Structures are given as structure tokens and as C-alpha cells.
């Protein structure tokens, strides 16, 4: 495999630069002209003067191209955006603009019955979106020539080319650290990034139809790839590592602002369910990501917490008849889940690998069958069987009724917005517990057990005791999330607590969220859970093909980025040990060695 730097198209350099900048501006301008003649296509693309629906995505892509083309002209201050050079990001952004625009045009032709339904504005947009891509191909790019492997069949050849493609599409190699900016400037950058994250998250949730969400995914995925190729992600990672407190505060402030951006309580309900799913995934990350224990029945601990809290929260259908305040119900839910974690873990954690996974899968099914049977007929009347525990009252904390709308100035927070803010506090608590455990001697011991349990025990680590502690802590965190979930949904029934299903949370989706996001990290499971909840929620129109498309996307992602979307340095090196020079910069590269759960220093300390 040989690497050279040359343009793919024989264009003069000034012409290539002009095509990129002019094409980006033309792509953005085309969104102010109507693309079709009928409003039957979702989003109403028939209006001149302002973009609507999928046109907004094309507008964003065009403006990004124009912004990232400025370093090509040496505009002062813009070079900070492309520390690895501006050629690669404008090429990827050109592909993003073309993909998003042509997806829209094809969708219009498909749903309305032919290309005749495209107005001149649509054709202008299609042509304009190709100009930045053509111009970028005329810029000097790092090009790699890959030869055939010396031996092997079709599978070996396929693996060879996929590996080469993985190296090419990955981020640029580690860059020299940038000169630190003024502290206030860096703080403003962190706040701006948090605001941008809130905007992207909000837009993804409020997409009202499947075509818009697919376009959003296309632009977001390829746009993120462009930022990685530019080296901007590595630069922002280093910046946030220097200001961890500011970054954490900005992230939670942006999350807390989400309910104030919503006028429809439905989208706030999506947000609170995402937080519940993400918090449970973060609890599972203690078990899977840190201790390396594959738990396929983890959703049962969420159910234990939900049922325990429902029984003591004043429900009219509860056989217990208690009505504890929220803090009491939360403690009961956490304690019940913790006890179940210890009871199940004590006899099973001496197993390893697939055997442990099978046992935990069995526990999950036993829990679901047991709560179905405790109906007063097949067994004692505790859970009311398939009918579950219903009519769980809304929380009332210090006179604040979470079931009522509350007005703050010009903002009105509905029921789900109230629970969103409460769940955000729970998420903050779980993040704090996870990070503290991760940075402790116990966390380093968990990582040592995950990497090689035999070697860890030879260094004096009590593997069984620490694995049981991980199991209990993960179960308690899931029980806490289940407490809030019971009040949000008004009822607790057995059906959601199963291994697999079309809608999360279930054990399969929880494990996928941890692996997809990045095991052993904090942001990884949060991002993975957000994606895995939103995708089934927004792709309902695919009906029976939903899981097929979802599965294909996961397979491709795991092949191209097996370490997860946000991975620590050790995971990067393990999955890319043959091409270390091309490995993606990890999200924790710039963190101190003691805080990296996968660092060699952490493993050595745990062994000591």
C-alpha cells in the first residue's frame, strides 16, 4: 500500500478552491428556491424565500463547506478549525452535501411518482451540491494505492479492502498539541460546542417524519467524519481535557436547557426516556465496560427497581399499601436491585465468558416469568401478574407536583419536562458514581480483571469479591433509574423487561448501547443509548424492515469502528494494533494516565 498526495481530478488549484467555496454558497442559496410543486412531500418544499424540511439540512451542509473552505484561502483565524489541513474535510463535507441533497431529490421522485415532480430549484440544488465535491477532488489529497493480498480467497480480499478503507476513512494521526488560547476564549469555545450539541440533539428529537430523520443521520454522520478528518475533534478533546469542570458544567447546563426549547410535551417524553435508557446503559457499563462481565439479563434489575418503587409509592393497585416519599421509594428500589444483584451474582460470578452470559440471560427470563406469575392465582399476589401495578401517582417533592405544568417567566414546563429535569439529576448522580469508581483503586482493579483475570488474581486482586461489587453497583444504579421510570409511565408491567424486542429498553439494546458507544467510557454509553432509542422511534415507517436496516447499520459500524464511537486509548490500540500510525485519536488521549480506564498505568496500579 503506497501513499501519495495528489489531486484526483486535473484541475488548476485556484479553480478547485473557487469551486469549493462557490459550490458551498450555491448549495446553501438553492434552499431558498422551491424544490417541488406540491406540499404532499413532507416538509413543504414549495415555498420560496426560506428553507423547510430537508432543505434545512442542505443549507447547513452548504454553510459548513463555505466555512471550512476559508482556510484554503488563508483567512486569518480559520486555520484553527483544520489543524490536519483543509483538503480532507471539504472533500468529506462535499460528499455530505451531495448525499443529503440527492437523498432528498430521490425521495421526492419516489414518493411523488417521478422526476417530473422536481421544480427547477431542485435541479439547481442537485447540480450545486456536486460542485464542492468536484472542487475538493481537484485539491491535493492523501491518496492510497492498495494492492491485492498475496494469497487468500474472496473473504481474505474483502477483509483486506475493508481494512484499508477503515484506515483511510479514520481520523488523521495524532497532531502536535495546539498552542493554548486565552482561558476565556477556550471557555467560550466549550460553551459554543455545548450549545451546538444541544441544537443537534434537539433537532434530532423533533424530526417529525422518517425522511427528515434519515437525512439528519446522513448529514450528522458524514459531518462528524469530516470534523475528525480535519483534526478538530482531537483539538476539542484536548481543550475539554484542560477544562474538565467547565466542560461538565456546560454539558449539563445544555441538557437542562432542553425542556425549555420544547412546546410539545411529546418530545420532552422522548427526552426523558432517552435519559432513563442512557442511565441504565451507564450502569451496565460498570459491569460490561469496566469489569468485563457480559450480562445479558441486566434489564431485570431495572424491572426490580421499578416494581419495588411502585409497590411503596401509593399505587391503588399495590398490595403493600405504603406511600413513601420519593427518596424513600428510590432507596427501596436501589436496595431491592442491589440485593437481587448480590443474590444472583454470588453463585454465578465464579463462571466466566459465555457461561456467565447464559446464566444472566436465564435470570432475565426468570424475572419476567416470576412477575407474571405473582398474580394471586399462580403464586402470591405481589405484582398483579400481566396487569402489573398501575395508577402510580405523580411525584410531589417539597410541594412541587411533577404531574402539573409549571410556568417560569415565559416558559411552561409540562409533566415530562419536569421528569426530564429530575432524571437529569439522577443521570448526573450516576455519572459521578461511575467516574469516581472508575478513577479509584477498585476501578483499576476492575480493568485488570477485564484484561486478564488470571494475571489480576496472581497480583493479589480478589476477583470474585470485586466482580460481585461491580454486579451490585450496576444493579443498584439500574434500580434507581427504574424508580423514576415507574412514575413516568404511571404503571409497571412485565412486557418491557425481556432480552430482545423492537423497542428499548431491553437487555440486547442495553448491551448494544455500551458496545456501540464505547466500553469503559462515560460519554460512549450516553451517545450509544441516545442513538439506539431514537433510531427505532423515528424509523417506524420502515415497519418489518426496521430491525433489518438497524442490524445492517450496526454490522457496518462495528466493522469500520469496532472500538465504539467514543473509545479510550487502550481500545484504539487493541483494535488497530496493526496500523497504530493510522489509529483514531481517542477521546481520552489528552487525559491524565490515571483517569484512563484502559491505560497501562492504571493496570499496573491495580495490579500493585
Amino acid at each position: 500500500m503506497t501513499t501519495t498526495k495528489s489531486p484526483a481530478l486535473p484541475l488548476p488549484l485556484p479553480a478547485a478552491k473557487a469551486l469549493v467555496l462557490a459550490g458551498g454558497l450555491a448549495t446553501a442559496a438553492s434552499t431558498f428556491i422551491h424544490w417541488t410543486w406540491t406540499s404532499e412531500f413532507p416538509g413543504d418544499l414549495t415555498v420560496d424565500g426560506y428553507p423547510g424540511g430537508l432543505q434545512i439540512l442542505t443549507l447547513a451542509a452548504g454553510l459548513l463547506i463555505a466555512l471550512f473552505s476559508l482556510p484554503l484561502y488563508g483567512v486569518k483565524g480559520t486555520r484553527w478549525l483544520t489543524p490536519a489541513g483543509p483538503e480532507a474535510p471539504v472533500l468529506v463535507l462535499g460528499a455530505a452535501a451531495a448525499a443529503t441533497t440527492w437523498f432528498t431529490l430521490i425521495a421526492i421522485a419516489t414518493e411523488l411518482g417521478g422526476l417530473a415532480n422536481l421544480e427547477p430549484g431542485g435541479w439547481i440544488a442537485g447540480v450545486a451540491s456536486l460542485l464542492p465535491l468536484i472542487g475538493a477532488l481537484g485539491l491535493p489529497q492523501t491518496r492510497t494505492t492498495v494492492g491485492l493480498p498475496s494469497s487468500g480467497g474472496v473473504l481474505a480480499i474483502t477483509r483486506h479492502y475493508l481494512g484499508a478503507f477503515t484506515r483511510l476513512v479514520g481520523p488523521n494521526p495524532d497532531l502536535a498539541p495546539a498552542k493554548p488560547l486565552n482561558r476565556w476564549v477556550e471557555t467560550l469555545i466549550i460553551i459554543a460546542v455545548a450549545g451546538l450539541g444541544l441544537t443537534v440533539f434537539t433537532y434530532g428529537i423533533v424530526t417529525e417524519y422518517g425522511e427528515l430523520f434519515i437525512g439528519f443521520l446522513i448529514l450528522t454522520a458524514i459531518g462528524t467524519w469530516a470534523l475528525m478528518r480535519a483534526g478538530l475533534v482531537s483539538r476539542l478533546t484536548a481543550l475539554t481535557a484542560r477544562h474538565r469542570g467547565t466542560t461538565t458544567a456546560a454539558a449539563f447546563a445544555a441538557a437542562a436547557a432542553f425542556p425549555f426549547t420544547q412546546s410539545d410535551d411529546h418530545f420532552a417524553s422522548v427526552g426523558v426516556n432517552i435519559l432513563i435508557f442512557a442511565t441504565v446503559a451507564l450502569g451496565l457499563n460498570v459491569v460490561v465496560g469496566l469489569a468485563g462481565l457480559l450480562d445479558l439479563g441486566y434489564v431485570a434489575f431495572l424491572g426490580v427497581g421499578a416494581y419495588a418503587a411502585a409497590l411503596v409509592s401509593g399505587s391503588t393497585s399495590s398490595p403493600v399499601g405504603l406511600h413513601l416519599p420519593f427518596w424513600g421509594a428510590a432507596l427501596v428500589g436501589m436496595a431491592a436491585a442491589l440485593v437481587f444483584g448480590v443474590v444472583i451474582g454470588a453463585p454465578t460470578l465464579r463462571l466466566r465468558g459465555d457461561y456467565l452470559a447464559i446464566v444472566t440471560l436465564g435470570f432475565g427470563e426468570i424475572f419476567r416469568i416470576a412477575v407474571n406469575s405473582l398474580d394471586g392465582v399462580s403464586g402470591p399476589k405481589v405484582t398483579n401478574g400481566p396487569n402489573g401495578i398501575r395508577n402510580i401517582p405523580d411525584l410531589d417533592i417539597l410541594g412541587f407536583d411533577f404531574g402539573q405544568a409549571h410556568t417560569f417567566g415565559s416558559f411552561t414546563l409540562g409533566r415530562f419536562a419536569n421528569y426530564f429535569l429530575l432524571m437529569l439529576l439522577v443521570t448526573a448522580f450516576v455519572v459521578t458514581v461511575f467516574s469516581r469508581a472508575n478513577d479509584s483503586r477498585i476501578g483499576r482493579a476492575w480493568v485488570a480483571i477485564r484484561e486478564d483475570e488470571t494475571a489480576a488474581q496472581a497480583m493479589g486482586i480478589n476477583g470474585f469479591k470485586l466482580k460481585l461489587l461491580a454486579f451490585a453497583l450496576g444493579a443498584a444504579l439500574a434500580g434507581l433509574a427504574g424508580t423514576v421510570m415507574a412514575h413516568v409511565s404511571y404503571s409497571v408491567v412485565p412486557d418491557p423487561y425481556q432480552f430482545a424486542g423492537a423497542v428499548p429498553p431491553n437487555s440486547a439494546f442495553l448491551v448494544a448501547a455500551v458496545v456501540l458507544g464505547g466500553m469503559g467510557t462515560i460519554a460512549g454509553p450516553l451517545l450509544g443509548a441516545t442513538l439506539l432509542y431514537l433510531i427505532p422511534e423515528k424509523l417506524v415507517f420502515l415497519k418489518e424492515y426496521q430491525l433489518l436496516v438497524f442490524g445492517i447499520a450496526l454490522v457496518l459500524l462495528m466493522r469500520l469502528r469496532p472500538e465504539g464511537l467514543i473509545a479510550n486509548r487502550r481500545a484504539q490500540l487493541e483494535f488497530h494494533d496493526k496500523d497504530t500510525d493510522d489509529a483514531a485519536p481517542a477521546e481520552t488521549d489528552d487525559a491524565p494516565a490515571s483517569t484512563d480506564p484502559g491505560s497501562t498505568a492504571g493496570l499496573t496500579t491495580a495490579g500493585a
Side-chain angles (χ1 to χ4, degrees), residues 452-476:
D452 192 327
E453 185 173 352
T454 302
Q457 290 177 341
M459 295 297 293
I461 293 176
N462 189 331
F464 174 76
K465 178 181 177 181
L466 288 172
K467 288 193 296 183
L468 186 60
L469 179 60
F471 219 68
L473 178 59

Side-chain angles (χ1 to χ4, degrees), residues 335-531:
L338 187 148
V339 169
F340 269 80
V342 172
V343 169
I344 298 301
T348 61
L349 287 178
R350 300 186 187 277
L351 301 173
R352 297 187 186 181
D354 298 339
Y355 302 101
L356 175 63
I358 292 172
V359 170
T360 56
L361 176 62
F363 163 63
E365 289 301 303
I366 290 172
F367 168 77
R368 185 175 58 84
I369 294 171
V371 294
N372 264 310
S373 302
L374 298 178
D375 57 356
V377 178
S378 302
K381 187 176 181 180
V382 178
T383 64
N384 297 327
N387 293 326
I389 300 175
R390 302 183 182 275
N391 302 320
I392 301 174
D394 281 304
L395 292 175
D396 191 319
I397 301 177
L398 300 177
F400 186 91
D401 188 348
F402 282 74
Q404 301 295 323
H406 299 273
T407 301
F408 301 92
S410 59
F411 299 99
T412 299
L413 297 181
R415 177 177 183 271
F416 289 108
N418 297 331
Y419 279 106
F420 179 92
L421 295 175
L422 174 64
M423 195 62 216
L424 185 61
L425 295 177
V426 174
T427 303
F429 171 76
V430 173
V431 167
T432 302
V433 171
F434 181 90
S435 61
R436 294 296 183 185
N438 183 18
D439 296 339
S440 66
R441 285 187 61 211
I442 293 175
R444 293 192 292 271
W446 282 335
V447 173
I449 294 172
R450 181 192 70 195
E451 297 301 321
D452 192 327
E453 185 173 352
T454 302
Q457 290 177 341
M459 295 297 293
I461 293 176
N462 189 331
F464 174 76
K465 178 181 177 181
L466 288 172
K467 288 193 296 183
L468 186 60
L469 179 60
F471 219 68
L473 178 59
L477 296 179
L480 176 60
T483 301
V484 181
M485 183 178 176
H487 290 87
V488 170
S489 59
Y490 282 132
S491 63
V492 182
V493 293
D495 293 340
Y497 307 107
Q498 52 187 332
F499 170 70
V503 179
N506 54 65
S507 291
F509 271 83
L510 288 170
V511 174
V514 174
V515 176
L516 171 67
M519 294 191 296
T521 63
I522 294 176
L526 298 179
L527 177 60
T530 300
L531 290 176

Side-chain angles (χ1 to χ4, degrees), residues 81-173:
L81 297 173
T82 57
E87 294 84 4
V90 295
L91 174 62
V92 179
L93 286 172
T100 305
T101 303
W102 281 95
F103 165 75
T104 305
L105 301 180
I106 293 172
I108 291 173
T110 301
E111 294 192 18
L112 299 183
L115 295 175
N117 293 282
L118 291 177
E119 289 292 287
W123 293 110
I124 292 173
V127 174
S129 66
L130 297 176
L131 297 180
L133 185 59
I134 296 172
L137 291 173
L139 299 173
Q141 299 281 346
T142 300
R143 303 177 64 196
T144 304
T145 303
V146 183
L148 285 172
S150 57
S151 61
V154 175
L155 184 59
I157 295 174
T158 303
R159 188 182 299 115
H160 174 76
Y161 277 108
L162 281 175
F165 178 73
T166 302
R167 291 189 290 273
L168 290 177
V169 303
N172 284 290

